[in-house]
Amino acid sequence: METVLSVNSICKVFGSITAVDQLSFTVRRGDVIGLLGPNGSGKTTALSIILSVINPTSGSYTWFEGLKGESANKRIGALLEVPYFYPYLNLEKNLQITALARGYGEGDIQRVLDEVGLLKRSKSQFYTLSLGMKQRLAIASTLLGEPEVLVLDEPTNGLDPEGIAEVREIIKHQASKGKTIIMASHILDEVEKVCPSVIILKKGKCIASGKVAELLNEKKVVLLESDDLDLLKVQLGQNANCKLIGIENSTLLVELVDDYSPSALNTWLIGCGIALSRIELRHKTLESQFLELVGKPEKL
Amino acid sequence: MRNILKLEFIKTLGYPGFRTIVILHAVLFLLVVVIGSRVNLQFQGIKLDILVSFPYVWETLSWIGSWFNILLGILAIILVGNEFQFRTFRKQIIDGVSRNQLLNAKMIVMATLSIYALVLVLLSSFLLGFVYSDSITISSVFEKSPFVFVLFIQSFAYMMLGMLFALVLKNNAISIVTFILFFFPGEPILRAFFPDSIDRFFPIKIISNLTPMPDFLGITSKQLIQINGKSPSFQSMGLMPENLNVWFAALVCLAYIGLFYLLSKYVIERKNF
């Protein structure tokens, strides 16, 4: 399959801060990839580099197997951070500017405004819009002229729950047309619902990448209580099918391997002479696994 | 590039600040010209009307026009500074406009503004010249007319300098204040450390001297007072410094425009948006 984007060891240093550190990844035609990471993990800087808005300190990237800069950007619909438009111009004129910059899509303005629900406001000046409407306009500008690639940085910023759902549907619809989509977000739920693959960033580095389901598979966690907590801890340490991951008051949090059931654990503990006063199954959320990956304290 | 120019004019003409400053520029210039031409001062042996009759009207109105060129320089700062304030340079790069195209499009807008300033002075000079000249001949009408074309170079040079300030400082207020302070007292203080032979080549001095104050004394008294067979002038009386030949100065200004362009290109290509 054709490589749409190839990023090779890009670095960006701002003074003493390394915003992006040796980041490499490849995007193939039709991929829908999420760049996931907490605030300040380098997602926007990485996207700014591949969109030629900022120059990398080192490393390289190419679009469409050899293109870079404006010739590549013309084939990409991109939204970077917050929407940037001329506040004194109306929505139509602002989109006309985007279409002229790309060299196509002037006849597509009414359609994209309709798609994001802003057709009735087409003659309104940009500064009169709410934050959510501005975000919708930014998404409309990415769709102008049906570009083959979409790069979306926090596309649901400032939107209400209904708006978030609508934008998610728009992105899914674009993905179903076979478009290549790169979406950055710090919200796992947003990425997980749209992107089959993710690249997880932390302090500018890629700490994990692959299919969401493989990276963040839901694991079984059980809460255990017993009169002799110390003995319970010692016994659990001898069982390769489980792993002690935390202690809350007098409760042990234990993660089980995929095919090991809570009843099997209970049976094994009885065999070891330990009677549990409580055993409760909990699913470890994707959110908690993501936070574990990026180094935040785990909450269950 | 046609698309880029079209989008540049959509955003420039749609900007209320642009329309206001251009209208203000035209109104102020025309007001000064109209009021100035109606002043009826009578000194013994001196006729002021001659300043607005052919061929001297070209020099007079070019000089008056130059007073307002700083407004065009400030307008250039605002047009470039707005792109940073609204972060629309960033948006256009994302949409596929090259950094060179951003710069070239702004330069074409500035060249258009210089043509506008030129046409304004050209038409006003023709009008006033025909109204106030006693005798009109082809040679008297066009004798000093090329003078008005240096006004184009001057206004374009001011705008190029303004754009460079805006590209470096990225902030309208700071750029405008720095630009004005560079005019005065920045460059004059700097010039004080250099001898006259070098001092006259400093950018603001040479650009502003493209349209020097007409030698009112020499012009008005030309046919009436003769001292040792020569008309007196501010320069012969030591009241005004000898200026460089205007066409040589224009060439130096064109070199400065080239320098401002190269510096702007250097800045825009290395800038993170």
Side-chain angles (χ1 to χ4, degrees), chain A residues 41-285:
Chain A
S41 59
K43 303 182 298 291
T44 300
T45 308
L47 294 185
S48 299
I49 291 171
I50 61 172
L51 291 169
S52 309
V53 172
I54 61 175
N55 300 312
T57 308
S58 62
S60 64
Y61 64 92
T62 54
W63 285 96
F64 310 109
E65 298 178 337
L67 292 183
K68 204 176 167 183
E70 67 272 15
S71 47
N73 284 12
K74 284 184 192 302
R75 294 166 64 177
I76 301 165
L79 156 63
L80 207 51
E81 289 181 297
V82 290
Y84 305 121
F85 291 98
Y86 294 94
Y88 53 85
L89 292 180
N90 67 33
L91 310 195
E92 262 182 25
K93 293 258 188 229
N94 268 304
L95 289 183
Q96 194 186 359
I97 286 176
T98 302
L100 286 166
R102 281 207 206 132
Y104 59 86
E106 260 194 284
D108 207 19
I109 292 172
Q110 303 299 317
R111 180 191 69 82
V112 296
L113 281 174
D114 191 29
E115 191 158 346
V116 298
L118 285 174
L119 192 56
K120 283 184 182 167
R121 298 293 301 267
S122 62
K123 300 289 180 194
S124 300
Q125 285 167 309
F126 177 71
Y127 78 87
T128 64
L129 301 187
S130 68
L131 180 61
M133 288 175 178
K134 287 175 179 173
Q135 192 71 8
R136 284 162 189 261
L137 181 68
I139 289 165
S141 83
T142 66
L143 303 177
L144 263 182
E146 299 275 7
E148 53 199 294
V149 178
L150 295 179
V151 176
L152 305 167
D153 183 17
E154 313 277 5
T156 56
N157 242 355
L159 295 177
D160 54 22
E162 192 189 354
I164 291 172
E166 281 175 23
V167 167
R168 192 181 298 139
E169 285 314 307
I170 290 171
I171 298 170
K172 280 182 174 173
H173 177 60
Q174 295 298 318
S176 71
K177 290 185 194 171
K179 289 192 180 171
T180 309
I181 299 174
I182 302 167
M183 186 176 96
S185 178
H186 62 278
I187 304 166
L188 173 67
D189 183 53
E190 189 176 298
V191 173
E192 187 232 339
K193 283 182 174 145
V194 177
C195 310
S197 308
V198 287
I199 294 165
I200 300 178
L201 296 181
K202 182 185 175 186
K203 292 181 180 170
K205 282 187 175 174
C206 170
I207 53 166
S209 64
K211 301 282 177 201
V212 178
E214 288 167 10
L215 279 178
L216 303 171
N217 57 333
E218 293 198 17
K219 290 179 179 170
K220 283 177 285 187
V221 173
V222 285
L223 275 65
L224 305 178
E225 281 180 19
S226 169
D227 293 339
D228 192 346
L229 216 56
D230 292 333
L231 180 63
L232 178 59
K233 273 197 273 184
V234 171
Q235 284 300 325
L236 286 171
Q238 292 170 13
N239 189 337
N241 292 320
C242 59
K243 183 180 150 196
L244 182 64
I245 56 169
I247 302 172
E248 277 180 8
N249 301 322
S250 58
T251 306
L252 302 186
L253 307 173
V254 176
E255 191 178 290
L256 305 182
V257 297
D258 291 343
D259 53 352
Y260 195 60
S261 67
S263 61
L265 174 66
N266 197 14
T267 309
W268 178 75
L269 284 170
I270 289 167
C272 297
I274 297 173
L276 294 172
S277 55
R278 179 187 175 198
I279 179 164
E280 183 186 325
L281 177 66
R282 275 194 191 174
H283 282 284
K284 195 175 177 185
T285 62

Side-chain angles (χ1 to χ4, degrees), chain A residues 52-53 73 81 86 88, chain B residues 11 83 90 92-93 99 273:
Chain A
S52 309
V53 172
N73 284 12
E81 289 181 297
Y86 294 94
Y88 53 85
Chain B
K11 66 192 186 192
E83 305 279 4
R90 179 185 172 96
Q92 277 158 50
I93 289 173
R99 290 163 190 241
F273 286 95

Side-chain angles (χ1 to χ4, degrees), chain B residues 20-174:
Chain B
T20 308
I21 293 178
V22 170
I23 291 170
L24 200 68
H25 175 269
V27 168
L28 284 175
F29 171 76
L30 292 172
L31 266 178
V32 171
V33 168
V34 169
I35 292 168
S37 65
R38 292 177 71 87
V39 171
N40 191 16
L41 286 177
Q42 292 287 340
F43 297 104
Q44 199 168 13
I46 294 176
K47 283 170 72 185
L48 276 185
D49 276 3
I50 196 170
L51 292 171
V52 285
S53 52
F54 289 125
Y56 302 110
V57 66
W58 299 111
E59 277 180 87
T60 310
L61 291 206
S62 296
W63 174 62
I64 293 173
S66 72
W67 301 355
F68 303 101
N69 275 345
I70 193 164
L71 258 182
L72 298 180
I74 290 171
L75 180 56
I77 290 176
I78 293 171
L79 291 179
V80 176
N82 278 352
E83 305 279 4
F84 289 106
Q85 190 185 330
F86 306 145
R87 303 197 76 178
T88 37
F89 264 166
R90 179 185 172 96
K91 165 99 172 97
Q92 277 158 50
I93 289 173
I94 292 170
D95 288 335
V97 180
S98 73
R99 290 163 190 241
N100 244 342
Q101 285 174 325
L102 290 177
L103 188 65
N104 293 343
K106 281 280 178 270
M107 283 175 60
I108 290 172
V109 169
M110 294 184 326
T112 310
L113 277 169
S114 294
I115 291 171
Y116 141 79
L118 173 72
V119 170
L120 185 69
V121 174
L122 201 72
L123 292 178
S124 310
S125 301
F126 267 121
L127 196 69
L128 246 64
F130 281 115
V131 170
Y132 286 95
S133 300
D134 294 332
S135 62
I136 296 170
T137 62
I138 297 286
S139 65
S140 73
V141 169
F142 292 106
E143 188 190 328
K144 286 177 182 281
S145 64
F147 208 88
V148 80
F149 290 98
V150 297
L151 194 74
F152 173 86
I153 297 173
Q154 186 186 57
S155 53
F156 191 58
Y158 281 145
M159 284 188 275
M160 287 293 288
L161 184 61
M163 177 170 76
L164 180 59
F165 271 78
L167 283 174
V168 172
L169 299 169
K170 298 203 293 188
N171 177 296
N172 276 344
I174 296 172

